[in-house]
Amino acid sequence: LSTANKLEQLLLPTKASVHKPNLKVQWCFYHVPKTAGSSLRQSFTLALGEKAVFGVYRNTGASDLAKGSPIWIPRRATVLFGHFPTHTEHTKMFPHAKCVTWIREPLERVWSLLGHYLAMKEQSPQYLFIKEHYINKGVTKKEAIFERMIKENTFKNSVNVYSHYFKHIPLTQFDFVGSVTRNSEDVRKLQTYIGSPLKETQENVRNSINSFPTSLRFLENELASEYEIVGDFL
């Protein structure tokens, strides 16, 4: 939390809950990792202002929101943006909020996720696992690590992220589902919903479409449940 938010939380500690719903939140953005969500958050911030967008991540209540538990939100926030899966209580906690998310082709998303882990190195606990169980044992090529990451289900919720994120509220019930493969087009469509111009940004976006090895396409069957969830929206 910023210093200003910490002060506000001290003075106005009331949390949003099923019994005390937040009526100001208009948008609930489920930020699936490695789906250009950081770019979308920046777009919302530029369009609506920094105080209108509240990031719900590890240190600001994501675990609570994932369980449908009460969460503190700044009084000027109208957009919730973060890494938290759906929960049936969210519709009660934020009755006026529209559900939005962005998706990415499953294999390409995990490929980008692995690239993130490898780039972060020791700063990432996932990298430390990869180093201990793969790299230190001679499995050093990204393609080989990727195949094991998929087949061995090393990081279950991270690999099968759509099954995890949309377990309680399916994509068919979302108000808007965008896709990385048509990012520019969907950003333009989304701005008609929010009533403010959204500028497409390139914050933390990797071009996985061009970099993903076609030789690894045989792994699609390993993520059949993921493709079933997002297939109609890709």
Side-chain angles (χ1 to χ4, degrees), residues 20-88:
K20 292 184 179 180
N22 183 302
L23 305 181
K24 292 185 178 180
V25 173
Q26 301 295 312
W27 302 92
C28 195
F29 196 106
Y30 295 86
H31 179 187
V32 178
K34 312 315 298 178
T35 59
S38 297
S39 296
L40 264 296
R41 181 181 174 184
Q42 181 66 11
S43 297
F44 268 90
T45 299
L46 292 173
L48 303 177
E50 186 174 350
K51 293 183 178 180
V53 182
F54 183 57
V56 185
Y57 294 97
R58 182 180 300 173
N59 299 322
T60 52
S63 60
D64 289 330
L65 200 54
K67 295 179 290 188
S69 300
I71 178 178
W72 182 84
I73 298 168
R75 59 187 175 84
R76 294 182 62 178
T78 58
V79 181
L80 298 186
F81 219 110
H83 291 320
F84 50 87
T86 57
H87 194 287
T88 53

Side-chain angles (χ1 to χ4, degrees), residues 175-223:
D175 295 282
F176 193 94
V177 179
S179 173
V180 171
T181 56
R182 54 173 191 274
N183 195 68
S184 298
E185 176 185 349
D186 285 345
V187 167
R188 289 194 297 269
K189 289 180 178 179
L190 182 58
Q191 71 180 357
T192 64
Y193 282 87
I194 70 171
S196 298
L198 285 176
K199 180 181 179 182
E200 182 181 15
T201 65
Q202 296 298 317
E203 182 76 19
N204 198 29
V205 176
R206 288 188 175 89
N207 193 350
S208 66
I209 296 175
N210 294 330
S211 66
F212 184 76
T214 56
S215 60
L216 294 174
R217 280 291 168 197
F218 74 95
L219 292 169
E220 286 185 3
N221 290 335
E222 301 288 338
L223 297 182

Side-chain angles (χ1 to χ4, degrees), residues 117-129:
Y117 293 159
L118 296 176
M120 292 292 290
K121 291 189 178 297
E122 277 73 14
Q123 299 178 54
S124 165
Q126 292 86 354
Y127 173 80
L128 295 177
F129 181 95

